Amino acid sequence: MMTDYGSLEEHVERLRALSFEIGTYRPPSEGGSASLLLRVSENCPWNRCAFCEMYKGQRFGYRPLAQITADIDRVAAIRDEISAVSAKLGMGAEITRELGSALLAQGRDLLGNPSFVTVYNWLAAGGRTAFLQDADSMSMRPREFMAVLKHLRQTLPSLTRVTTYTRSKTLSKRTPEELRLIRAAGLDRLHVGLETGDDEVLDRVDKGVTSAEQIEGGRKAVAAGFQLSMYWMPDLGGRERWRPHAEHTASVLSAIDPHYIRSRPLVPRPGTPLYDEVTQGRLQLSSPHERLEELALTIAGLEVTSKVCFDHAMNAWADRRGGLLFRRDYEGYQFPEEKPLLLERIREGLAADESMHVHARRLMAAQSL
Ligand code: SF4
């Protein structure tokens, strides 16, 4: 409903009073500030992975359905206020630079209001995508999760894609019918941290899932019609287990054949058990060339029709001229067609001096700060 009453000052006053919960994390491929972020649960129900610092020390909780739907209503109210101001200023409800200037001229403090900024940016990008936070939305009771999705789709009809994080273990526990109904209620894409397909490494990092469950969960999600985006972690096996890590990861991913496979090389984060393992010498990380050898083995073993992506700063290997070895976009390399090209790029990286990779990574890490 268009809120077309009141002065600009009154619209800004109402915008100041509207807020909804937004979590911290989302995948980079979720469109930067183009996606609407909505929190349906808080933190991670597992919270034990040895490499992960994201929700450490924070207690997991489901948000009551009434709170989530009220948040969705507040998003709609912010949208309506912004559109009303646009119409009032003769911009036909369009989201333009002039509209932003007019709103900020009236209320500069809106810039410090995350709810307003999120909805404004989302509308400016077309209002098409939403990402549901936090770490495992599919662990919600299916009936409640479907109610959230239906309310979201009805209230924000401009959405064309709704995505979320979940765990392989959770997917493996859902029935095919539950997954099909959740898909039909309006969830399009799932982001899942696979990390490795090697059971020994899965156990060592306390991932809380087996490779058989990863395959079961992934296949069920694909069969239910979800777009599946899976992340694996080069070097998680360290120097000792790089080969089984690569081989088993390739075979699990091949058994699932997800739509996207995304590389997230290991970065030991302070405050995690894995960081302690590395600093105490119990886990030895690979050199840039050794990581590329591991990558070559993983890629060679992939029998998939997925898109393989290097859309994160930690994939900053260099070629012999100092350029980036891999494309960084979110759509990546289409398999099987581009598998030979990717293997050729890895050979190119192996021919470059190792110091170039170290330099490229430092550069990318500095740029992403
Ligand atoms: S399931 Fe995901 S968010 Fe939770 S601890 Fe593991 S990696 Fe972190």
Side-chain angles (χ1 to χ4, degrees):
M1 192 185 72
M2 189 75 80
T3 316
D4 60 355
Y5 50 87
S7 62
L8 178 57
E9 195 177 356
E10 286 168 313
H11 283 294
V12 168
E13 203 47 51
R14 283 195 290 274
L15 282 169
R16 282 194 182 105
L18 287 164
S19 69
F20 59 96
E21 262 210 48
I22 302 173
T24 307
Y25 297 103
R26 60 157 173 77
S29 55
E30 284 309 317
S33 56
S35 263
L36 177 69
L37 304 179
L38 269 173
R39 215 171 183 195
V40 301
S41 63
E42 292 166 347
N43 309 310
C44 174
W46 179 248
N47 214 4
R48 283 166 55 173
C49 300
F51 53 84
C52 174
E53 84 293 9
M54 288 161 71
Y55 304 101
K56 287 284 176 285
Q58 302 190 56
R59 202 211 284 254
F60 175 75
Y62 292 107
R63 299 191 64 217
L65 178 59
Q67 280 184 19
I68 305 169
T69 54
D71 269 3
I72 294 169
D73 293 341
R74 282 188 277 268
V75 170
I78 297 172
R79 172 201 63 195
D80 292 345
E81 292 288 351
I82 293 172
S83 302
V85 174
S86 174
K88 189 167 292 218
L89 297 177
M91 298 171 194
E94 293 287 306
I95 309 301
T96 63
R97 190 182 289 267
E98 293 71 29
L99 172 64
S101 303
L103 283 164
L104 293 182
Q106 185 61 47
R108 185 99 202 136
D109 56 304
L110 286 176
L111 266 184
N113 176 334
S115 300
F116 166 77
V117 171
T118 298
V119 176
Y120 187 90
N121 286 334
W122 169 67
L123 289 174
R128 285 191 285 272
T129 60
F131 180 73
L132 306 181
Q133 301 166 304
D134 278 331
D136 189 5
S137 307
M138 295 289 275
S139 69
M140 273 180 84
R141 277 195 284 269
R143 196 181 293 269
E144 288 197 3
F145 194 30
M146 282 186 266
V148 167
L149 289 162
K150 283 178 183 161
H151 190 69
L152 180 70
R153 290 293 194 161
Q154 275 163 12
T155 313
L156 308 175
S158 65
L159 288 173
T160 55
R161 191 181 79 197
V162 178
T163 61
T164 196
Y165 278 134
T166 190
R167 300 179 61 227
S168 297
K169 181 79 169 194
T170 307
L171 290 175
S172 73
K173 289 193 290 192
R174 291 275 165 264
T175 67
E177 181 65 359
E178 285 169 343
L179 291 172
R180 195 187 61 70
L181 289 172
I182 292 170
R183 172 76 186 94
L187 185 65
D188 301 292
R189 182 182 289 182
L190 299 170
H191 293 272
V192 175
L194 181 102
E195 330 302 359
T196 179
D198 182 55
D199 280 307
E200 196 170 314
V201 178
L202 282 170
D203 192 45
R204 205 195 67 220
V205 301
D206 205 2
K207 188 69 194 168
V209 69
T210 64
S211 59
E213 288 167 333
Q214 287 175 324
I215 293 171
E216 183 190 353
R219 282 181 167 168
K220 275 183 180 172
V222 172
F226 288 103
Q227 280 185 24
L228 185 59
S229 176
M230 301 196 101
Y231 299 77
W232 102 97
M233 198 172 275
D235 213 9
L236 192 58
R239 280 196 167 131
E240 196 182 317
R241 260 197 101 70
W242 72 273
R243 190 175 283 280
H245 169 46
E247 288 171 348
H248 294 148
T249 299
S251 81
V252 167
L253 285 168
S254 299
I256 298 170
D257 196 11
H259 299 80
Y260 292 91
I261 297 173
R262 302 185 193 276
S263 164
R264 293 288 182 274
L266 171 64
V267 183
R269 308 277 183 194
T272 62
L274 191 134
Y275 184 83
D276 296 339
E277 279 189 53
V278 172
T279 51
Q280 292 163 13
R282 284 177 284 131
L283 179 70
Q284 297 218 329
L285 299 187
S286 306
S287 70
H289 272 175
E290 287 169 338
R291 279 193 181 192
L292 278 176
E293 297 277 10
E294 179 191 315
L295 218 56
L297 190 61
T298 312
I299 298 297
L302 284 177
E303 300 298 332
V304 293
T305 58
S306 321
K307 292 172 176 173
V308 179
C309 312
F310 297 85
D311 52 339
H312 189 276
M314 283 312 294
N315 292 295
W317 286 276
D319 62 21
R320 276 177 290 185
R321 289 176 303 170
L324 277 181
L325 192 60
F326 303 124
R327 299 199 301 255
R328 288 275 312 278
D329 63 279
Y330 297 133
E331 294 299 306
Y333 295 83
Q334 177 66 63
F335 273 42
E337 295 85 349
E338 292 193 287
K339 179 171 168 176
L341 167 65
L342 191 47
L343 288 169
E344 172 53 36
R345 292 305 290 160
I346 295 172
R347 282 193 289 276
E348 164 68 24
L350 285 167
D353 191 88
E354 211 159 33
S355 63
M356 296 178 77
H357 303 305
V358 176
H359 179 68
R361 190 183 303 172
R362 283 205 192 110
L363 207 63
M364 291 299 284
Q367 283 172 1
S368 61
L369 284 178

